Amino acid sequence: MKDTINQSRRSLLKLGSIAVVMMPVAAFAAKNEAMRKAMKYKETPEGEKKCSACLQFIPGKSAKDLGGCKIFAGDTEISPEGYCAAWAKKA
Ligand code: SF4
């Protein structure tokens, strides 16, 4: 019985360690790869269609800085010169 408890405790500690190691990775992950792939995001404009002219774009600190996108959750590396299939003209 005592061995089972110790084994469970060890397993729990292992899981905790893995979670602590994974935390910084999650905190610094800035690209929503799933959405990028699904929406065929690219770093270059499609004619006059580019992220900085899109309704969904969240500008960075300056006009040339990377920003975000309202539909790409957690992605902070959207180029103002980028483009994707969900582009919608900013009013
Ligand atoms: Fe750029 Fe697409 Fe987001 Fe518009 S929806 S800001 S085009 S990534």
Side-chain angles (χ1 to χ4, degrees):
M1 178 73 175
K2 195 172 181 179
D3 276 349
T4 308
I5 292 171
N6 281 340
Q7 199 166 6
S8 296
R9 192 177 291 163
R10 260 185 251 128
S11 297
L12 197 62
L13 285 172
K14 249 189 222 173
L15 277 176
S17 303
I18 291 169
V20 169
V21 170
M22 292 299 290
M23 231 182 269
V25 174
F28 292 110
K31 291 181 181 176
N32 186 335
E33 296 293 352
M35 279 300 288
R36 284 175 178 234
K37 191 173 179 185
M39 292 295 138
K40 297 183 170 71
Y41 173 81
K42 59 181 187 154
E43 302 277 335
T44 54
E46 183 82 8
E48 292 183 5
K49 297 176 182 175
K50 56 185 176 181
C51 293
S52 62
C54 176
L55 183 67
Q56 310 295 351
F57 188 60
I58 303 166
K61 288 180 185 167
S62 78
K64 290 186 176 181
D65 283 334
L66 298 176
C69 173
K70 292 174 192 166
I71 64 170
F72 285 31
D75 199 315
T76 57
E77 295 188 23
I78 300 294
S79 169
E81 296 295 314
Y83 168 81
C84 87
W87 186 87
K89 189 176 182 177
K90 195 188 302 184

